[in-house]
Every structure is written in C-alpha cells, then in structure tokens.
C-alpha cells in the first residue's frame, strides 16, 4: 500500500495556508502556499477573512497536486493542522461567516476575561488547564455574540456554528452547506477554554457562563480517525480526511516527541514549546498551559505542558513591514552578524501583552537600554535575541513543573534557518539545539495523524524511524556571560508591565 502513494496535509497558519504532500519516508514531495491578509481594525485587534482562507485552501491543494503531477487516487488520506485559538462563527445554512475570524493574537476580549474571572484568572484552570486570557477562543465567541447585531438570536435559534480554523476547513472540504461535517479534535478544543481536559467534552457550566449555546459547538473527535471524505467538487475528491491536530501539537507529533519528557520548540509567528507528559495531566505551577498533546483513535489521551510566546517571527515581519528596516525576513541575520553583541539593547515584543509564563495583558512592547552607540545591527540582534530569551523563560518554567531539566531541544519552524539565532538559543539555554531534516514539522505531524488512521504508517515507531537530524548547535558561551545577558532581559521585561490602564 505504501509504494507510490502519498499523504497530503493542509496547514492553515496565521499568515498563510499551504498544502504539503509527503511520501512514506516523511519526505516533502510537493508544496504550494499562499498568504492571506492580516486585518487590523484598531490597536490590539487582529482579524482574518475566513472566506479568503477557504479560497486559498482550494488553490494550494490543487497547486500541490499539480506540482507533483498527482491525482486524488495517489493520495491515501489528508490531514488538517491550523492556527489554534483563532475563532470563527458562521451560518450553517448559508456558509457565510457572521464576522471575520478573530485571531489568537487579538486582545479585544481583555475586559471580558477580567469580568469572567472576577479577579481570579485561574477560575477555570482546574477544568480546562488554561488561565483566563485573551488568547483563547471562548471569550472571542462571547465578544461576537455580544457585539455583532442579530447574532445572539441566530445562535440561540441553532442557526450558527462555532469553530477554530480546522473546523471551518473540514466543514467546507466535506460539503459545507451540503452535508459539511462540524467536527474538531481535542488539541483544538483544549484551547477554547470550554473543554474539560479529563472527559474531552464541552463543559456546560463554562459555556453557560460565557453565554455560548451548546448547539454552536463542533463534535469532538480524536486527532487520528477517518472523519469523512472530501466533497466531489474538491481537488482531493473522495480522499478520506483522517487527521486533525492544532499546529503546535502537530509539530510535536512531526518531531516524533512521542514519549514522556520529549520536547520541541516551534519558531513561527510566535514560539511554542511543548513537553510531552504522557497520559499524566500535569497542572502547571509556573505559568504554563496544560493541554492535550494528541489522541490517536481510541488510545488513551496524551497530554502536554506548553509555553506559548505571542511574538517572535512576527517581530521580524514587523521590522520589515512597519519600519522598513529590512527588505526580506532573511536580511535580519546579516544585519545582526554585523555586530558582536546587542550593544546593551533589549527588545521586549509585548505587542499582544505577554503570554507564558507571565500572562500579562497590560504589557506592551518596549526597546530598552538604548544609547548613541546602538545601531541598526544591534537592534536586529536584539530582535533575534528576544526569541531566545522568551524561550528560555518558558523552558525554565517547564523544568520547574516537570522536575526534569531539559537536556536537548528539538527545534522547527521558519526561523530555524537562522544560524545566528540557533547558536544564541543554545548559548542562552546552555543545552544542545537540534534541527531535523524536515524543519516544517507542523504539516508533517498532520500527515502522520492522517496516515496512521488509514494504516499508511503502521505505528508510531515508523514515525520515530523517519525522524532525522540535520544540524546540532552546542553552547559556547560561559555561564557568567549567559546569566548576565539573561538578567538584562528580565530587567527589560519589567519595563513593559502596567502600560495599559483598566480604562
């Protein structure tokens, strides 16, 4: 069955959508990708046009097939992975969104989460594994219900669907208004603030608190099973859709972090460190999230600790698009290499507040330590170093929660091609940093989930065998310098706090 057959993955990300096709060895056979607009209606608001994204899904799926000269009969299954907490509400009869998708970075729900918690950000943590924060989907749905005219009445009448972007893509791929399947998986459901981590079901009490009718919610399936087939008019017509994983869990799966104690860090729009804790649901005492790592068919649920960092790769984009300091994202490495250090400058990119381990929505971005000596190269270096410092904060919290010090960090995502950043990450952590041959592990993880469901891969052992090292960076910085630089970062972080007033 494995000879000359392939698995497709649709990766619906924060800045773009792509379709990647993989062979049995986990090698990329074909890829097509298309960016979508980032919509900023006002400060702190971030939206996407879900109709544009669905059109892009269709375009890149057809494109990936065409580039490899493949037909649907060559594809055994398709998996979906997605930006996780981005929330969408649409009409189940017309297929039209009632409002733009509200993106995970959006902070408009700040007052809603403060009011929900009544001063206690841990109100739902025992049930959901999450603090009350603007990051998660439930309060975004609450905002739509409260602020878009006529929507609450339509929701209570049972006319509206809620979903994260996996659900929107699945619903459309399986027919949309003509029998589209309204499902999600536990990795995405566990990021809504609405799901019970133990039972993997929606919590009626929390939904009632947020005023979200249960009829809006998708059915929670496992991360790897055949949900249905692609609609007849689709470019993958008749192919089983058999895997759904939120992007960071998909990257964890693609990195073959399938045993307790294995961790990865994805360097994308933001950074996300996940530590597989096995079937043990470890509740964080240090500002991390307890989340579902994956659930394969009817096997026991596997959990993870996660440290979510809002702004890393998007800071490089900001330098390019908002300030015009670089022409392409790749230019930042050459600028940073033009100097030996950061010149005393630190850039804390708290554009959406600070995520793990701080959870401070009142924080805003700051560049500190500036002198006349600081030049463009120092700022470029400070931008890259911010990613490494934030990752260290999260990994220290992870070490404290798990009681085990991380010895090796597996890395993936777009930024891992930056050699300067990877060396600095190793230096500031004091551990080896390892990049795999296939660095785009998010799509690969979704492909693995979909392939396992149809026996294209026989077991998780085959996935482990596919993983291969590309390059390892070893720390070369002495301890005194490492701790001095990190102390400067921690001081810089304090300068970003209490910037946004309650009013």
């Amino acid at each position: 069955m494995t000879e000359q057959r392939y698995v497709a993955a649709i990766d619906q990300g924060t800045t773009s959508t792509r379709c990647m096709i993989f062979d049995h060895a986990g090698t990329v056979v074909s890829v097509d990708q298309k960016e979508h607009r980032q919509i900023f209606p006002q400060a702190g608001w971030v939206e996407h046009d879900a109709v544009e994204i669905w059109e892009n899904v269709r375009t890149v799926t057809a494109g990936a097939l065409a580039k490899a000269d493949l037909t649907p009969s060559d594809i055994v299954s398709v998996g979906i992975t997605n930006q996780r907490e981005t929330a969408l509400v649409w009409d189940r009869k017309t297929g039209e969104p009632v409002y733009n998708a509200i993106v995970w970075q959006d902070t408009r729900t700040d007052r809603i989460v403060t009011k929900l918690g009544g001063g206690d950000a841990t109100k739902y943590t025992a049930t959901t594994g999450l603090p009350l924060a603007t990051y998660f989907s439930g309060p975004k749905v609450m905002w739509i219900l409260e602020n878009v005219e006529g929507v609450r009445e339509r929701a209570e009448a049972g006319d509206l669907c809620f979903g994260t972007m996996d659900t929107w893509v699945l619903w459309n791929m399986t027919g949309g208004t003509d029998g589209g399947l309204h499902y999600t998986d536990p990795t995405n459901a566990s990021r809504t603030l609405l799901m019970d981590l133990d039972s993997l079901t929606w919590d009626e009490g929390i939904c009632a608190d947020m005023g979200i009718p249960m009829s809006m919610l998708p059915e929670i399936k496992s991360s790897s099973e055949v949900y249905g087939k692609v609609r007849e008019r689709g470019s993958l017509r008749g192919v089983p859709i058999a895997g759904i994983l939120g992007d960071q869990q998909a990257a964890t799966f693609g990195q073959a972090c399938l045993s307790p104690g294995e961790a990865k860090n994805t360097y994308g729009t933001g950074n996300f460190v996940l530590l597989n804790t096995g079937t043990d649901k470890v509740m964080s005492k240090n500002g991390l999230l307890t989340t579902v790592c994956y659930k394969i068919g009817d096997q026991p649920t596997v959990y993870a600790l996660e440290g979510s960092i809002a702004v890393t790769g998007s800071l490089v984009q900001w330098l390019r698009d908002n300030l015009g300091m670089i022409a392409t994202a790749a230019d930042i490495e050459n600028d940073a290499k033009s100097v030996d250090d950061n010149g005393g400058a630190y850039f804390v990119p708290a554009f959406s507040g600070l995520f793990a381990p701080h959870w401070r929505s009142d924080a805003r971005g700051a560049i500190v330590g500036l002198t006349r000596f600081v030049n463009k190269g120092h700022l470029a270096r400070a931008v890259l170093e911010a990613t490494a410092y934030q990752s260290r904060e999260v990994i220290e919290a992870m070490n404290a929660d798990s009681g085990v010090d991380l010895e090796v960090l597996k890395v993936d995502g777009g930024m891992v091609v930056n050699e300067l950043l990877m060396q600095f990450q190793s230096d500031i952590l004091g551990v080896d940093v390892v990049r795999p041959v296939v660095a785009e592990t998010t799509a690969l993880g979704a492909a693995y989930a979909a392939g396992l469901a149809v026996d294209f891969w026989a077991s998780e052992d085959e996935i482990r065998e596919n993983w291969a090292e590309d390059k390892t960076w070893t720390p070369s910085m002495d301890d005194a310098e490492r701790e001095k630089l990190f102390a400067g970062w921690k001081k810089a972080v304090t300068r970003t706090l209490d910037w946004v007033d309650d009013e």
Side-chain angles (χ1 to χ4, degrees), residues 126-373:
T127 302
T128 67
L130 311 175
L132 265 166
T134 59
Y135 183 25
F136 306 111
S137 311
K140 295 176 175 34
V141 179
M142 197 174 166
W143 186 92
I144 291 171
L145 291 172
E146 291 178 356
N147 289 277
V148 182
E149 188 175 351
V151 163
R152 179 167 294 285
E153 292 76 16
R154 292 162 67 189
E156 290 175 352
D159 294 337
L160 301 183
C161 296
F162 153 68
T164 42
M165 298 310 287
D166 59 302
T167 303
W168 171 245
V169 170
L170 176 72
W171 187 80
N172 280 293
M173 286 186 75
T174 53
T177 56
D178 184 19
L181 300 173
H182 190 212
Y183 299 156
T184 190
D185 92 303
T187 67
N188 282 290
S190 70
R191 314 299 292 210
T192 60
L193 259 176
L194 304 173
M195 190 192 83
D196 184 306
L197 269 185
D198 291 312
S199 64
L200 307 189
T201 58
W202 302 115
D203 187 283
E204 292 191 27
I206 298 175
C207 290
D209 286 355
M210 296 193 193
I212 298 172
M214 300 292 286
S215 62
M216 294 179 70
L217 303 177
E219 184 179 346
I220 302 171
K221 297 282 193 174
S222 81
S223 308
S224 177
E225 63 178 90
V226 175
Y227 312 111
K229 294 185 177 181
V230 177
R231 66 198 180 104
E232 279 303 306
R233 296 180 67 86
S235 53
L236 285 171
R237 58 188 170 278
V239 175
I241 304 175
I244 298 174
L245 286 165
D247 53 9
Q248 302 314 318
Q249 286 92 337
T252 307
F253 212 73
Q255 281 276 36
C257 294
L258 304 175
S259 300
E262 295 183 326
K264 67 87 201 177
N265 192 7
T266 297
Y267 296 71
T269 302
N271 263 43
F272 302 88
V273 187
L274 264 76
L275 172 72
N276 183 325
T277 62
T279 54
D280 292 333
K281 185 186 71 171
V282 178
M283 302 305 287
S284 177
K285 298 180 176 66
N286 295 280
L288 302 179
L289 309 176
T290 305
T291 195
V292 174
C293 196
Y294 53 85
K295 180 173 171 57
I296 304 303
D298 57 5
Q299 294 177 26
T301 306
V302 175
Y303 295 95
L305 281 170
E306 176 175 334
S308 309
I309 303 164
V311 178
T312 55
S314 56
L315 179 57
V316 178
Q317 292 176 326
W318 180 86
L319 211 66
R320 180 193 67 191
D321 300 339
N322 290 42
L323 298 191
M325 275 181 60
I326 51 176
T328 69
D331 292 341
I332 194 166
E333 185 168 12
N334 285 332
D335 285 351
K337 280 180 177 176
S338 70
V339 294
D340 293 328
D341 53 36
N342 63 16
Y346 290 84
F347 196 144
V348 186
F351 295 159
S352 303
L354 289 169
F355 283 14
H358 306 282
W359 298 109
R360 292 288 295 262
S361 59
D362 61 312
R364 285 298 177 268
I367 307 173
V368 301
L370 295 180
T371 62
R372 285 287 298 273
F373 172 71

